[in-house]
Amino acid sequence: MKLPRAFALLTLALLSLAPPAVAQEPAEPPTPASVLAAAPATDWRAIDPEDLLVIVLAPDRDGKERRVVIQLLPPPFSQGWIGNIRTLARAHWWDGTNVYRVVDNWVAQWGDGEDDGEPVKPLPAGLREVPESEYVTQVQPGPEDGRDFVLTPEREEVVINRWLDSYGITAFVAGWPVGLDDQGGRTAWPVHCYGAVGVARDLSPDTGTGAELYAVIGHAPRQLDRNIAVVGRVIEGIEHLATLPRGTGEAGIYADPAQRVPILSVRLGDELPEGGKGSGSEAAGQTPIPRFEYLATDSDSFARYLHVRASRDDPFYQVPAGGIDLCNVQVPVRRAAAD
Amino acid sequence: MKLPRAFALLTLALLSLAPPAVAQEPAEPPTPASVLAAAPATDWRAIDPEDLLVIVLAPDRDGKERRVVIQLLPPPFSQGWIGNIRTLARAHWWDGTNVYRVVDNWVAQWGDGEDDGEPVKPLPAGLREVPESEYVTQVQPGPEDGRDFVLTPEREEVVINRWLDSYGITAFVAGWPVGLDDQGGRTAWPVHCYGAVGVARDLSPDTGTGAELYAVIGHAPRQLDRNIAVVGRVIEGIEHLATLPRGTGEAGIYADPAQRVPILSVRLGDELPEGGKGSGSEAAGQTPIPRFEYLATDSDSFARYLHVRASRDDPFYQVPAGGIDLCNVQVPVRRAAAD
């Protein structure tokens, strides 16, 4: 039988994840949970409430509240769209909009849902048209050698891990999974993992305003990287989007408008009682939000976490994978301990 | 700042997916959908009804039926457990069991749910204890050269694509994504992609009987490969599992037994009216099932599909990814055209 030879066998460079040095070997094989439990408080970084976007959906059929908490990306990533999102949130623009599109193993999408020629809700003043060039961002050489970089000279949160996945070079920086270019690693971009939040758009050169957003609710659709702006990730409440009925209309839009899930309000964390200013948003279903923190991706704890995630040898696992793809790592985010 | 050097920069072997030769270039850039539309009927393979496992859940709150159709793996993969599953299905063992565990971005699990010391539903006679060695399977050298293999001498469905992903060497054979060992590629195993169905188990050396099953409802948990038996994949109705409320008990088990989702019946396709023997299973909520087919993974159409999935350049995409991970490919499965 003659076979197409289109896809050649590749030269292999299998991941070789050596375990980081640990002062004392624990008696039990470490698990991701045990690594996190052992991480010192200094390895966790607080998430600023102003970097949170909090969506309150209408209660479910049992009257249970549904709150989705999104962490926005730090500078320098996707800041054009994120600026727009802050403007939209401060204008309370999303209040009264809805989740109008849900596709299995793909996305749940919300906003005005202007899909069939109906009048579009007027947008607030001050939104930028963001160019496609901002899908990627220039990063700075690191302080030590050419293999690391920092986000900005002011924010020396350094990449410590790089490897190859099916899409190219990948790394973690400032708590986020990113892709890197292969010409020296001086361009980086946030990637589409489960829970990633992106900006819906029309065809190029449109890049979307940020008014129509989606969250990934399936296997990472990495083909969207550098083609759509990623602006954040859901850090709590993704199940309120992932369990919504799938749409049966074109492209997964709810065929019956009655299926749309009302959005009661969307607020930045610093508009909420616990977040600082306390502007009295409770009327729109918003309640105080807890403080969140993420495991610093330039910490020793994260290096151990990554190693253990890639090479499980606790009792349930007989064959450690020996590698892990960027989106299967899942940077740890947790509620901060109470004061 | 001193950085851990645990994770070295890897030598890179980026995917180089050359486009397969096409007799005539289409005027529009191809899309996955256009490749499938152009695939000749001979590139599609019928799925035998006896390889289908059909689960009927209790109707949802709106009285809508919920049917989940699973395709079981072909020989030689996981046949010990699949034999057990056939025995369990023919004994109608799952009728009256339930979905008792749902974890976001992880799995939905069903069966007897013997989690808290309650009596376990007696299992039918004739189930095998399958050894861990059957997580992987020996495959045969291919007919052409050492780089390809066939499933069995009787079934010459050949691997045509191999590449490296974060977990090792991967390929497609007989319509399924598989991992390959890196000592000559003579061992293969089915992998955990979105929708994959696996056999829940206790600690090693237990490998599970097949009575407790789960489906993956999130990003591919590839660390489970070779640690748990994969026996099939959901080819229709995954949304009935993926949208179930997430469990809040230990390990995502439904804390309130009332939340469990009743399973009305589970049948092999050849027990159902349209599938052949027609043993009158309608009483358990089963209705005739359509015929299904998959795109042959050793066909030119699949090679084109793979290329286009990895390198989108239709108008929505400005930057083709240039690669794709095994579980993002999604081998096409469809309902066969009506007779």
Side-chain angles (χ1 to χ4, degrees):
Chain A
M1 182 181 176
K2 185 78 189 81
L3 299 172
R5 285 279 167 238
F7 302 89
L9 179 65
L10 296 165
T11 306
L12 303 179
L14 284 169
L15 291 179
S16 165
L17 298 177
V22 183
Q24 198 174 353
E25 283 300 325
E28 301 286 323
T31 63
S34 75
V35 170
L36 297 186
T42 48
D43 282 352
W44 294 88
R45 303 269 160 83
I47 298 175
D48 194 321
E50 76 177 13
D51 291 335
L52 297 180
L53 190 71
V54 183
I55 303 175
V56 176
L57 303 175
D60 70 12
R61 289 170 74 161
D62 297 315
K64 213 177 134 197
E65 77 167 17
R66 293 189 280 193
R67 184 175 69 179
V68 180
V69 181
I70 293 166
Q71 178 190 9
L72 299 170
L73 274 156
F77 297 112
S78 303
Q79 294 300 297
W81 298 277
I82 289 172
N84 288 350
I85 287 167
R86 293 183 191 282
T87 300
L88 287 155
R90 292 209 171 92
H92 300 186
W93 184 84
W94 280 291
D95 297 18
T97 64
N98 52 67
V99 184
Y100 56 86
R101 179 188 181 216
V102 183
V103 183
D104 195 74
N105 194 22
W106 189 244
V107 299
Q109 187 168 325
W110 63 92
D112 192 38
E114 20 71 74
D115 55 305
D116 49 0
E118 289 174 34
V120 176
K121 186 174 181 176
L123 292 167
L127 301 187
R128 275 187 62 201
E129 274 189 35
V130 190
E132 290 173 324
S133 57
E134 296 191 25
Y135 289 144
V136 303
T137 188
Q138 302 300 313
V139 290
Q140 308 293 318
E144 202 179 4
D145 65 45
R147 295 195 301 157
D148 297 309
F149 69 84
V150 295
L151 281 178
T152 68
E154 294 74 35
R155 182 165 182 168
E156 293 197 349
E157 205 155 358
V158 183
V159 168
I160 57 161
N161 304 295
R162 292 190 190 199
W163 59 48
L164 181 69
D165 74 7
S166 304
Y167 303 88
I169 312 171
T170 62
F172 293 92
V173 63
W176 294 84
V178 298
L180 295 175
D181 70 19
D182 51 3
Q183 275 95 44
R186 291 288 170 261
T187 307
W189 54 90
V191 302
H192 283 82
C193 295
Y194 186 90
V197 175
V199 175
R201 65 165 170 82
D202 291 327
L203 290 183
S204 170
D206 180 65
T207 68
T209 58
E212 310 297 314
L213 296 172
Y214 61 84
V216 171
I217 58 165
H219 189 79
R222 299 281 302 280
Q223 66 273 27
L224 300 177
D225 298 349
R226 289 185 287 181
N227 285 293
I228 300 192
V230 173
V231 291
R233 65 180 163 208
V234 176
I235 60 171
E236 194 171 277
I238 183 71
E239 67 275 14
H240 300 308
L241 298 170
T243 62
L244 293 177
R246 283 30 177 161
T248 56
E250 190 186 342
I253 287 174
Y254 285 134
D256 177 0
Q259 293 177 290
R260 295 181 174 209
V261 181
I263 292 175
L264 300 184
S265 65
V266 176
R267 295 289 180 277
L268 290 168
D270 62 1
E271 265 204 88
L272 298 177
E274 204 73 332
K277 297 170 197 161
S279 68
S281 300
E282 298 87 340
Q286 294 274 1
T287 51
I289 53 163
R291 291 172 302 116
F292 292 91
E293 55 194 14
Y294 67 91
L295 187 62
T297 45
D298 60 355
S299 68
D300 287 351
S301 295
F302 185 76
R304 276 194 284 277
Y305 177 81
L306 196 49
H307 171 69
V308 171
R309 290 276 300 149
S311 299
R312 296 292 295 265
D313 68 349
D314 43 295
F316 193 81
Y317 290 85
Q318 300 301 303
V319 181
I324 189 165
D325 68 280
L326 184 67
C327 285
N328 197 13
V329 174
Q330 302 161 7
V331 174
V333 176
R334 68 180 187 186
R335 290 184 174 207
D339 304 66
Chain B
M1 182 184 176
K2 186 75 189 82
L3 299 173
R5 285 280 167 237
F7 302 89
L9 179 64
L10 297 166
T11 306
L12 304 180
L14 283 171
L15 290 182
S16 165
L17 298 178
V22 183
Q24 198 176 355
E25 284 299 324
E28 302 285 324
T31 64
S34 75
V35 170
L36 296 186
T42 49
D43 282 353
W44 293 88
R45 304 270 161 83
I47 298 175
D48 194 320
E50 76 176 14
D51 291 335
L52 298 179
L53 190 70
V54 183
I55 303 175
V56 176
L57 303 176
D60 69 13
R61 288 170 74 161
D62 297 315
K64 215 176 132 198
E65 77 167 15
R66 292 188 281 192
R67 185 175 67 179
V68 180
V69 182
I70 293 166
Q71 179 191 7
L72 299 170
L73 274 155
F77 297 113
S78 304
Q79 293 301 298
W81 298 277
I82 289 171
N84 288 351
I85 287 168
R86 293 184 190 282
T87 300
L88 288 155
R90 292 210 171 93
H92 299 186
W93 185 83
W94 281 291
D95 297 16
T97 64
N98 52 66
V99 184
Y100 56 85
R101 179 189 181 215
V102 184
V103 183
D104 195 74
N105 194 22
W106 188 244
V107 300
Q109 186 168 325
W110 63 93
D112 192 41
E114 20 71 74
D115 56 306
D116 50 359
E118 288 174 35
V120 176
K121 185 173 181 175
L123 292 167
L127 301 188
R128 275 187 61 201
E129 273 188 35
V130 190
E132 291 173 324
S133 57
E134 296 190 26
Y135 289 144
V136 303
T137 188
Q138 302 300 312
V139 290
Q140 307 294 319
E144 202 179 7
D145 66 42
R147 295 196 300 158
D148 297 309
F149 69 83
V150 294
L151 280 178
T152 67
E154 293 73 37
R155 182 164 181 166
E156 293 199 348
E157 206 154 358
V158 183
V159 169
I160 58 162
N161 306 292
R162 293 188 188 201
W163 58 45
L164 182 70
D165 74 6
S166 305
Y167 302 88
I169 311 172
T170 64
F172 293 91
V173 63
W176 294 84
V178 298
L180 295 175
D181 69 19
D182 51 3
Q183 275 98 44
R186 293 287 169 263
T187 307
W189 55 88
V191 302
H192 283 81
C193 296
Y194 186 89
V197 175
V199 175
R201 65 165 170 83
D202 290 328
L203 290 184
S204 169
D206 180 65
T207 68
T209 58
E212 311 296 314
L213 297 172
Y214 62 84
V216 172
I217 58 165
H219 188 79
R222 298 282 302 280
Q223 66 273 28
L224 300 178
D225 298 349
R226 289 185 285 180
N227 285 292
I228 300 191
V230 173
V231 291
R233 64 180 163 208
V234 177
I235 60 172
E236 194 170 276
I238 183 72
E239 67 274 15
H240 300 309
L241 298 171
T243 62
L244 292 177
R246 284 29 178 160
T248 56
E250 188 185 343
I253 287 175
Y254 285 134
D256 177 0
Q259 293 177 289
R260 294 182 175 208
V261 181
I263 292 175
L264 300 185
S265 66
V266 176
R267 296 290 180 275
L268 291 168
D270 62 0
E271 265 204 89
L272 298 177
E274 204 72 331
K277 299 170 198 164
S279 67
S281 300
E282 298 87 340
Q286 294 275 2
T287 52
I289 53 163
R291 292 174 300 118
F292 291 92
E293 56 194 14
Y294 68 91
L295 187 63
T297 44
D298 60 356
S299 68
D300 287 351
S301 295
F302 185 77
R304 277 194 283 278
Y305 177 81
L306 196 48
H307 171 69
V308 170
R309 290 274 302 151
S311 299
R312 297 291 295 263
D313 68 351
D314 44 295
F316 193 81
Y317 291 84
Q318 300 301 302
V319 181
I324 189 165
D325 68 279
L326 184 67
C327 285
N328 197 13
V329 174
Q330 301 161 6
V331 174
V333 177
R334 67 180 187 186
R335 290 184 174 207
D339 304 65

